[in-house]
Amino acid sequence: MSSRVVFAAAHVVARDERTVDWDATLAFRHHLWSHGLGVAEAMDTAQRGMGLDWPAAAELVRRSAAEKAGRICAGVATDHLTGAAGLDDVLRAYLEQLEVVQGAGAQPVLMCSRQLAACARGPEDYAKVYGTLLDNVSEPVVLHWLGTAFDPALAGYWGAADVAQATRNFLEVVHSRPDKVDGVKVSLLDAGHEIGLRRALPPGVRCYTGDDFHYPDLIAGDEHGHSDALLGIFDPIAPVAAKALRKLDEGDTAEFHRIMAPTVPLSRHLFSAPTYYYKTGVVFLAWLAGHQDRFLLLDGLQTARSVEHLTEAKRLAEVAGVVEPELAERRWQQWLASR
């Protein structure tokens, strides 16, 4: 893609409910790269904190980055901490993961920390932790703001329950070291908020939309600018999204919207409440599309959505053109018969 920087947050393929199928997982990343998309590794879509622990995430980052087949960024968090943690513990944990991601050659994405949300007393604690992290990065990073729809444990992140105040606190961190921030990734599912935040960023700092409800309009942008993208929905819709983005590169915004429009009902369905179970639908569609041999997630999360939910996901995926109907129907019938 030439007009937008676009990452698909990629899922992992499970060998069983405890281990990753490395060959199939890496093959899927090559599928994303083949369509011109970047890979956002070890993020929420990869079941980070919901089946994928830090040792497995670190191995995933190393293996994916070693492929050297396309653009890659990767999540840095504090999810290997156990027990009660203070600010110094959180900072050390972040720095440990940052070293792994930078050492692998992936661009770091500084993810939100449940442990920081639990111990921070106010915006000054966030400023201290993130300021120190930004002082220790070897290249500009992406700051990730994940909303409570995705993780309820992140309530009050950036030191305020009020979103407007939290946004001001967040922007202060960005403006304090703009040369260390490539972009911000916002997953609040609020298009108006994202547009306002986007316009308040320092020059040269990107806004990577994480809004799986309103992404076509946010990516297309307006006279004041546009959002780039780091999206979980781009995992199942990669071929269609790539086709649409090429039209945007050509300046054909109307055709971009025409191609993207049928994917939006699918995305809204996959990311419906409880939103954090969207991973089940993403893997379900990867299986229907033939990218893996079984419909299986780490920690058994393939059972997190109902048959009715998956039935509608299949229908919407066929409308959006992201699965081949005959293969999808055959696999669907096999799965129903095996239940």
Side-chain angles (χ1 to χ4, degrees), residues 165-187:
Q165 183 59 54
T167 301
R168 288 190 286 272
N169 298 341
F170 178 59
L171 285 168
E172 285 184 12
V173 171
V174 178
H175 279 271
S176 71
R177 293 167 178 81
D179 58 315
K180 298 296 186 74
V181 182
D182 166 59
V184 301
K185 192 251 183 179
V186 187
S187 300

Side-chain angles (χ1 to χ4, degrees), residues 5 18 25 59 62 81 92 106 129 134 148 157 211 225 251 257 263 302 328 331 333:
V5 177
R18 295 297 173 192
T25 293
E59 181 69 10
R62 293 188 186 101
L81 283 176
R92 279 194 296 271
V129 169
L134 292 175
T148 53
Y157 214 77
D211 189 329
H257 280 295
T263 71
Q302 67 275 6
R331 290 197 162 197
Q333 292 301 328

Side-chain angles (χ1 to χ4, degrees), residues 301-317:
L301 284 182
Q302 67 275 6
T303 64
R305 292 294 203 183
S306 67
V307 173
E308 292 77 14
H309 178 91
L310 297 177
T311 301
E312 180 65 0
K314 173 180 174 292
R315 185 188 73 80
L316 292 170

Side-chain angles (χ1 to χ4, degrees), residues 114-198:
R114 293 176 181 177
Q115 291 80 10
L116 180 54
C119 72
R121 295 162 297 180
E124 64 281 355
D125 288 342
Y126 288 90
K128 175 184 176 181
V129 169
Y130 279 91
T132 304
L133 287 172
L134 292 175
D135 288 339
N136 281 273
V137 299
S138 58
E139 64 174 306
V141 303
V142 178
L143 297 184
H144 187 190
W145 184 359
L146 191 68
T148 53
F150 292 91
D151 189 345
L154 298 177
Y157 214 77
W158 302 110
D162 177 68
V163 173
Q165 183 59 54
T167 301
R168 288 190 286 272
N169 298 341
F170 178 59
L171 285 168
E172 285 184 12
V173 171
V174 178
H175 279 271
S176 71
R177 293 167 178 81
D179 58 315
K180 298 296 186 74
V181 182
D182 166 59
V184 301
K185 192 251 183 179
V186 187
S187 300
L188 299 186
L189 304 179
D190 183 334
H193 174 269
E194 180 174 320
I195 291 169
L197 174 64
R198 185 173 77 197

